[in-house]
Amino acid sequence: MTLAPAQVASAAESLLAAEAKREPIGLLSLAHPGMTLDDAYAIQAAQMEKKLAQGREIIGWKIGLTSKAMQDALGIDTPDSGVLYDDMAFADGATISEARFIQPRIEAEIAFVMKAPLEGNVTRMEVLAATDYVAPAIEILDTRILRKDPETGQARTIFDTVSDNAANAGIVLGQQRHAPDAFDLRWVGSIVKQNETVVATGLGAGVLDDPVTGLVWLARRMATYGQRIEAGQVVLSGSFIGPVECPSGTDIHADYGPFGSVSLRFA
């Protein structure tokens, strides 16, 4: 780590204030050009500590930057991860208030709900054995850090994204539940409509060639920070479509065929 504890705490407080006020802050990667991934995860963890102290509960985790295209765009070769809190869960078909988010977007994913903990150097088979069921899901993204610096034109880096809880803002689980081996998840896909217009399609194979691989990566990464995936938690395995902008008045429907469907509306 290159940031002092006081700098980590200050960055975390700024992000929490940005979320509360719905006003994004400037790029942390510009303010701290020498920051590392360890610094970014420390800032994420400092926010987690504050949220838990305020009564929030962790319901799971998200994996991001799983596609080769997104990794190439950021000049990285690794995914990232963030925390799912209880106030981020929305029902299938929910209408979300315009006042809730800054600039929401959505992604289509496969969610894993665990029946046993996962920790450390796990295998693909151990992930499947620890999974209670899989379900279609939509992740809601929002950014408490500007996407681009207005003066320099510099875009967010992975250090900004990780610090900002991997841009995580919400989750909508579909009502269909499947055994983890009931489908070849590489071939589970979704047709995503925005206001009745198809805006994105994709397959599970877009996530590290196999969505299960994301959980293998997550369990290993979390172990380096003394964490693990707990029984009962949900894990968003990574998006297989690009982010879809969702201004006020947007209806979203993700059709996964025999795997199920998910929908929501932004008021």
Side-chain angles (χ1 to χ4, degrees), residues 48-235:
M48 183 196 309
E49 184 177 344
K50 291 282 188 180
K51 284 180 176 283
L52 294 178
Q54 295 167 359
R56 297 271 63 82
E57 295 181 4
I58 294 173
I59 61 169
W61 310 86
K62 69 145 293 181
I63 306 166
L65 302 179
T66 51
S67 73
K68 187 68 165 57
M70 288 299 294
Q71 290 182 7
D72 287 348
L74 289 178
I76 60 170
D77 60 0
T78 181
D80 69 357
S81 66
V83 191
L84 289 168
Y85 297 100
D86 54 346
D87 62 339
M88 292 179 170
F90 296 92
D92 186 12
T95 296
I96 298 173
S97 168
E98 183 182 11
R100 178 62 188 268
F101 299 121
I102 300 170
Q103 194 174 3
R105 298 180 290 171
I106 64 94
E107 292 179 335
E109 313 202 9
I110 296 171
F112 289 66
V113 179
M114 312 313 296
K115 62 183 178 183
L118 278 176
E119 183 175 15
N121 192 28
V122 300
T123 66
R124 183 181 188 280
M125 293 306 297
E126 287 171 331
V127 169
L128 292 175
T131 300
D132 186 11
Y133 61 89
V134 291
I138 288 175
E139 180 185 3
I140 303 170
L141 305 173
D142 202 15
T143 52
R144 281 67 58 171
I145 295 177
L146 291 172
R147 297 186 194 176
K148 182 182 291 187
D149 179 68
E151 294 184 6
T152 66
Q154 178 177 315
R156 288 180 306 154
T157 69
I158 189 171
F159 307 119
D160 299 295
T161 303
V162 169
S163 298
D164 190 22
N165 197 26
N168 189 19
I171 175 177
V172 184
L173 277 183
Q175 300 175 44
Q176 301 80 8
R177 300 180 176 187
H178 308 282
D181 59 354
F183 287 81
D184 181 347
L185 298 178
R186 297 178 69 249
W187 286 98
V188 171
S190 181
I191 301 168
V192 179
K193 289 185 177 181
Q194 180 187 51
N195 297 336
E196 300 301 323
T197 299
V198 175
V199 292
T201 62
L203 289 175
V207 178
L208 301 171
D209 193 37
D210 181 354
V212 180
T213 304
L215 278 76
V216 172
W217 173 85
L218 180 63
R220 294 174 180 176
R221 188 211 66 76
M222 289 178 65
T224 66
Y225 295 97
Q227 301 169 329
R228 72 175 188 177
I229 304 167
E230 300 290 351
Q233 290 184 338
V234 58
V235 180

